[in-house]
Amino acid sequence: MDLKPIETYTAARNACKLCAPLGASLVFKGIEGALPLLHGSQGCATYIRRYLISHFKEPVDIACSNFGEQTAIFGGGANLKLALDNLRRQYDPSLIGIATTCLSETIGDDIQMFLSEYQRLNKGETLPPLVHVSSPSYQGTHMEGFHNSVTATVKAVAGASEIPGGSVNVFPGMISPADLRYLKEILSDFDTPFTLLPDYSETLDGPPWTEYERIPKGGTPVSQIRNMGGASASFLFGRVIGSMEDNAGAWLSEKFGVPCHRLGLPIGVEETDRFFSALGLVTGREIPEKHRKERGRLLDSYVDGHKYMMGARAVVFGEEDLVVGISSFLKEIGVLPMLIASGGRSGNLSAKIRELFPDYENQGIEVRGDSDFLDIEAAAEKKAPDVLIGSSKGYAMSRRLKVPLMRVGFPIHDRVGGPRQLHVGYRGAQSLFDRLANIIIEKRQSESKVGYTYM
C-alpha cells in the first residue's frame, strides 16, 4: 500500500486530483455528436466547464439536470427526464452521457429506472444511446470518472459486428489532443484501421469557427463504437487506473473475444517500444522508417544531453498513470524522481513504481498516494529537487520552494498550449527531454555566480 500522508488531518487542502464527473465529461466530449449531462447541481457543471475551458481554450457545453432543494429531498427523476427532452430538442445529439454527481448518488437516485421510464414514455421514437456512469467524487478521482465512462460507453453501445481489414481499438487514457493526433498518425502509418475512444483531438483543439457550433465537429463516431466487438485487438494504456479489472478492453475480451494488450502510457523509449512491438505483432507490419528515425534522433539527444540530466533530482505529481509514465521516462534519462506523489487512492501506485525501481527506498525515492499539495510540498522541501514535474496546480508550491515547474498533463491554466503538449511516443519523449534539459540548464545557469553562455 502507498504511504500515508505526513500529517493526519480531516480534510484535503488543495487536492492533487479533480472530480470524477470532469473525467466523465471529457470522455463524452470525445464522441462525435455526443453531449455530457451531469445529473446533479448546477455548480458541478459550472466548475467543470471552467476547468476545461481554462485548459483547452475552447467553448465547452455541459448540460445539467439542475438540482434544487426540493429535488435533493424528493429525487431527480423529473429533472433528468426534462433535461433529456431539452437536449434532444435543442441539440439532436448522437449520444447522451449521463454522469451522476455526489448529490444524486448520495440521495440514491435510481438512474436505470429513470431511463427505463423515459424510454417507455418515448416508445416509438428514435432515441440516442443513453449512457449512464456512476461518478461521485467521493469514490474516485477524475481518472476513475474517465475510465469508468469509457467502459460504460463500450458496454452500452459496442456489438460484435464484423470489421474487415483487421481494425484495432485503442483506449488511450486521458492524454492531450496533440497526443491523440500523434497516436492517429502512428496508427495510420501502420496502415491499420482503428477506433480511438475517446477522441477529443478536434472537439477540444480545433480551428476557429465562422459561426457558433452547438456541438463541435470531430470525435469518435458512434458507428465505430458499435463495431468495437469485431476488432482484431484492443490496446489499453495505463498501468494503474488503466489496468483496473473492470475496463473496456477486458469487457470486449470477455464478451466478444477481442484480445486486449495492456500497456503503460507510451512515454519514453522503453514504453513506446512496447507499444510499437505490440502494434507490429497485431498488424503484422514492420515499424515504419519514419518512426525508426524519430527513435534514433531521440536516442542521440539522450546521449547529447546526458551530462546535463544525469543525477538531477525531480518531484513528480499528478494522476497515477501519468506519474508512472513520467517516472519511467526519467529513469531512462538519468533523472532521479525523489518524490512520486498522487491524489489517487488506488493503492497500486507503490507497486507500479517498484516495477520501475525495485529498491526505490534504498535510492531515496518516496512514493505517496492519496496526497494533497500540503503533504506533497512538505515532503518535497526535504528532497531539495532541481525541478517539479506536474500540472499547473503545483505552481504555488513551485513559487514557495523556488524550484522550477515543468508543466505536464492536466490542468495547465497558467500557460498557453496545454492541449498541444506532446507526451507520448518518440516525438513526445523528444519534446519532454528538450523541455526538461533546458529547465535544468537554466536553473544551474541562473544559480551560477558568474553565469555562462556556452554549453
Side-chain angles (χ1 to χ4, degrees), residues 254-386:
E254 180 181 349
K255 186 78 172 178
F256 302 112
V258 181
C260 181
H261 298 264
R262 298 188 183 189
L263 304 164
L265 282 174
I267 298 176
V269 173
E270 184 175 359
E271 292 290 354
T272 304
D273 283 351
R274 288 176 178 163
F275 171 49
F276 273 78
S277 295
L279 191 57
L281 181 66
V282 168
T283 63
R285 294 178 173 86
E286 295 290 330
I287 297 176
E289 184 63 19
K290 177 176 82 175
H291 297 285
R292 291 185 184 277
K293 288 182 176 179
E294 285 188 347
R295 184 181 189 275
R297 285 191 290 269
L298 175 60
L299 291 176
D300 185 63
S301 71
Y302 279 11
V303 174
D304 294 342
H306 181 71
K307 61 184 177 181
Y308 312 120
M309 307 290 266
M310 185 63 185
R313 300 156 64 89
V315 168
V316 185
F317 62 88
E319 60 95 354
E320 292 169 293
D321 283 322
L322 181 63
V323 298
V324 173
I326 293 293
S327 298
S328 176
F329 164 70
L330 295 179
K331 179 184 177 181
E332 65 188 30
I333 63 174
V335 175
L336 192 63
M338 301 301 298
L339 174 64
I340 302 167
S342 175
R345 297 180 176 180
S346 73
N348 295 323
L349 181 59
S350 291
K352 298 304 177 182
I353 294 300
R354 193 173 299 282
E355 293 175 6
L356 297 175
F357 303 92
D359 61 340
Y360 72 75
E361 297 97 338
N362 293 333
Q363 296 185 56
I365 297 173
E366 190 172 349
V367 180
R368 292 191 170 275
D370 192 15
S371 293
D372 64 15
F373 277 100
L374 186 76
D375 173 24
I376 295 170
E377 183 174 341
E381 190 171 14
K382 298 176 182 178
K383 300 294 183 180
D386 296 293

